[in-house]
Amino acid sequence: MHMHELYDNQGRTERAVLVGLKLARHDDEIWQMAFTELKGLVETAGAEVVTELIQNRDLPDPATYIGKGKLAELNAVIGELNIDVVVFDSELSPKHVRNLENALSCRVLDRTQVILDIFAMRAKTREGKLQVELAQLHYLMPRLTGQGAAMSRLGGGIGTRGPGETKLETDRRHIRGRILELSRQLDEVRKHRDLHKKRRKKQEIPVIAFVGYTNAGKSTLMKAIVERYGNGNREVAEGRNRLFDTLDTTTRQVQLPDGKTAIFSDTVGFIQQLPHSLIRAFRSTLEETAEADLIVHVVDASHPGFDVQMATVYDVLQELKVLDRPILTVFNKIDLVPGAWIGNDPNSTETVRVSATLGDGLDTLMEKANDLAGVRHLLVTVEVPYKEAALTAQVHREGRIFEEEHRESGTYLKAEVPQRLADELSVYFLQEAEEVVPPKEVKKLYFDFTTPESDDVLH
């Protein structure tokens, strides 16, 4: 059931109630932002949010997530407002799902299922569809009770979309087999991607990855850049101000100001509490970011909680182990921000202010990208056999030599070389290669903002 408007079996938009559990340990601002985001997610999936229920507790109820009194209140709301689906703000355990489905007279979903549902709607390429199905099956596996509770979701509507829906009737063994098959197919896709990477490295084409919170404007920015600097007339996705608009990695060739070609790559947007099953399934897409020579971090400067969004992006980048790369922070949607706004991001190498829709700041962005997107260089310590004299000559040609010694078994070299050449030399490494630019430690995020009216620090 792939559609952009969500209907139940009677052909009407589903009515949803959101349930939030605010624990004592939660930070007020971050929790509120995540809960507001949940509303956006449910609406993106096509349902209508009729009302919200919030409970403050020290810990979730071990049996039913929310307390007994709140559960009774929720049941009354379901009957009174003709609710079709209840959406909880966190990932529910299999036990919680089972008990809630028994206690409530409508379907029960959690944040993870809503995100998976949107991903199922958005996936266009074979890889994207494989990844979504894999994530859905990983989520479903521990929640198969065999008593028909999980099967009740087959009625259609939010949380039932995508390739996973026909698999809900199958047993665990079938699902395990399907997971193995999907993983095998994704490995094939990854091998194909690796061939492209090797070809790009041989040609020394830098890769620039666009990352950012969902709806930060990455696709709109990339479209504006491709229109102005692109090689050829290939179409690039245009952002439509909606969550997870880009799911499949889009790569385009772009000419940098100094004339060299670069690969620009747009990836899935990040979000708070992005389900781990999704990070696992989308590993190959995210690896595009892990391979990048420069990371362009696009921030929606007009969003009231953009600092929280930035911290979320850095968490994911840290998981991907890419914080040692140069990072260009792009404060986007600057046309929607009043005053002479000055943003500062201590984790980035450079910052730039742009408006993708107006095309402002793009030249500055490209110049900074040009300066930062040099191909990565590594410091290598090797002993190259004399029969590989051509390789030694290549190090002399392309590298910067610090030490050289002719030993009994080969030429000892300590040199700075491009990434591609370091890969070729890796079999002769005497010790692990080092980044020429030392990794940046992750500093605490802080921001200084001034407006013409005031010089006060706002954040």
Side-chain angles (χ1 to χ4, degrees), residues 38 145 342 446:
L38 179 65
T145 60
I342 303 159
Y446 68 91

Side-chain angles (χ1 to χ4, degrees), residues 24 40 60 63 84 93 121 134 146 217 270 300 317 365 376 399 431 446:
D84 303 295
S93 70
M121 260 198 299
L134 188 62
F270 303 150
D300 175 358
L317 292 178
L365 188 162
R376 291 170 72 206
Q431 61 190 60
Y446 68 91

Side-chain angles (χ1 to χ4, degrees), residues 130-151:
L130 289 171
Q131 288 170 326
V132 173
E133 184 177 356
L134 188 62
Q136 286 179 321
L137 293 177
H138 272 302
Y139 180 85
L140 179 67
M141 190 72 169
R143 289 164 179 80
L144 270 185
T145 60
Q147 297 164 349
M151 311 313 162

Side-chain angles (χ1 to χ4, degrees), residues 18 30-44 52 111 114-115 118 213-214 243-244 270-274 303 305 308-309 312:
L18 305 187
I30 293 175
W31 184 88
Q32 189 54 57
M33 187 174 143
F35 192 66
T36 306
E37 223 163 54
L38 179 65
K39 184 171 190 274
L41 289 167
V42 172
E43 286 169 351
T44 298
E52 300 169 357
R111 182 187 175 91
V114 177
I115 293 174
I118 296 167
Y213 210 77
T214 184
L243 301 172
F244 301 122
F270 303 150
I271 193 168
Q272 278 188 78
Q273 301 168 36
L274 191 63
H303 194 287
V308 176
Q309 294 185 344
T312 303

Side-chain angles (χ1 to χ4, degrees), residues 56-70:
N56 291 290
R57 278 178 72 100
D58 288 338
L59 290 166
D61 185 285
T64 52
Y65 187 65
I66 52 173
K68 296 283 180 288
K70 193 56 86 171

Side-chain angles (χ1 to χ4, degrees), residues 21-268:
L21 186 62
K22 187 173 178 311
L23 303 179
R25 66 170 188 267
H26 285 150
D27 174 280
D28 282 1
E29 188 193 348
I30 293 175
W31 184 88
Q32 189 54 57
M33 187 174 143
F35 192 66
T36 306
E37 223 163 54
L38 179 65
K39 184 171 190 274
L41 289 167
V42 172
E43 286 169 351
T44 298
E48 178 197 353
V49 176
V50 179
T51 188
E52 300 169 357
L53 282 184
I54 293 170
Q55 180 170 38
N56 291 290
R57 278 178 72 100
D58 288 338
L59 290 166
D61 185 285
T64 52
Y65 187 65
I66 52 173
K68 296 283 180 288
K70 193 56 86 171
L71 193 60
E73 189 186 330
L74 178 58
N75 239 334
V77 167
I78 290 167
E80 199 181 310
L81 298 176
N82 194 17
I83 298 295
D84 303 295
V85 60
V86 179
V87 184
F88 286 83
D89 64 337
S90 287
E91 189 168 303
L92 298 171
S93 70
K95 182 184 175 186
H96 282 145
V97 172
R98 201 157 51 244
N99 291 335
L100 286 165
E101 283 187 334
N102 290 334
L104 300 171
S105 54
C106 69
R107 281 182 14 262
V108 171
L109 296 177
D110 61 19
R111 182 187 175 91
T112 300
Q113 280 169 292
V114 177
I115 293 174
L116 285 171
D117 195 69
I118 296 167
F119 272 52
M121 260 198 299
R122 299 277 193 262
K124 299 284 184 290
T125 64
R126 175 169 168 263
E127 182 182 16
K129 287 173 180 169
L130 289 171
Q131 288 170 326
V132 173
E133 184 177 356
L134 188 62
Q136 286 179 321
L137 293 177
H138 272 302
Y139 180 85
L140 179 67
M141 190 72 169
R143 289 164 179 80
L144 270 185
T145 60
Q147 297 164 349
M151 311 313 162
S152 66
R153 302 202 188 100
L154 282 172
I158 189 170
T160 67
R161 257 187 301 244
E165 64 189 344
T166 56
K167 307 294 177 286
L168 288 169
E169 300 126 307
T170 58
D171 62 8
R172 286 173 186 272
R173 198 179 310 124
H174 187 143
I175 288 180
R176 264 192 216 107
R178 184 70 186 145
I179 285 173
L180 284 171
E181 172 59 19
L182 289 170
S183 303
R184 189 189 62 73
Q185 289 184 35
L186 277 169
D187 277 343
E188 275 176 30
V189 174
R190 190 175 289 122
K191 277 178 198 147
H192 183 69
R193 193 195 285 276
D194 285 344
L195 282 175
H196 283 291
K197 277 179 196 159
K198 283 196 179 104
R199 227 172 278 147
R200 290 201 301 243
K201 272 188 182 160
K202 268 201 179 106
Q203 296 163 356
E204 293 283 19
I205 298 176
V207 175
I208 298 174
F210 281 62
V211 303
Y213 210 77
T214 184
N215 208 24
K218 294 185 303 300
S219 299
T220 310
L221 181 58
M222 199 151 133
K223 183 175 191 290
I225 288 169
V226 170
E227 276 175 0
R228 200 181 288 189
Y229 307 94
N231 291 351
N233 301 315
R234 298 225 15 223
E235 272 297 299
V236 62
E238 183 170 4
R240 277 161 292 196
N241 192 29
R242 57 183 201 174
L243 301 172
F244 301 122
D245 199 46
T246 304
L247 203 56
D248 303 301
T249 304
T250 314
T251 54
R252 293 290 175 263
Q253 284 202 1
V254 172
Q255 196 162 10
L256 294 172
D258 71 358
K260 71 173 175 250
T261 297
I263 300 282
F264 276 33
S265 150
D266 186 11
T267 55
V268 60

Side-chain angles (χ1 to χ4, degrees), residues 261-367:
T261 297
I263 300 282
F264 276 33
S265 150
D266 186 11
T267 55
V268 60
F270 303 150
I271 193 168
Q272 278 188 78
Q273 301 168 36
L274 191 63
H276 276 282
S277 55
L278 270 177
I279 292 177
R280 194 162 60 226
F282 276 74
R283 192 169 50 125
S284 55
T285 309
L286 294 169
E287 272 170 7
E288 195 75 22
T289 306
E291 291 291 324
D293 299 292
L294 168 66
I295 290 165
V296 176
H297 177 190
V298 185
V299 181
D300 175 358
S302 69
H303 194 287
F306 77 91
D307 49 346
V308 176
Q309 294 185 344
M310 286 178 80
T312 303
V313 171
Y314 278 119
D315 285 345
V316 180
L317 292 178
Q318 193 158 25
E319 258 186 71
L320 292 170
K321 298 184 171 60
V322 293
L323 282 168
D324 57 330
R325 294 312 129 75
I327 296 173
L328 173 59
T329 302
V330 177
F331 290 108
N332 188 27
K333 307 191 189 180
I334 210 74
D335 50 308
L336 304 177
V337 180
W341 181 91
I342 303 159
N344 175 41
D345 173 8
N347 286 316
S348 70
T349 318
E350 290 268 11
T351 57
V352 60
R353 296 152 40 103
V354 307
S355 164
T357 49
L358 300 180
D360 292 352
L362 296 190
D363 292 345
T364 313
L365 188 162
M366 290 299 283
E367 279 158 24

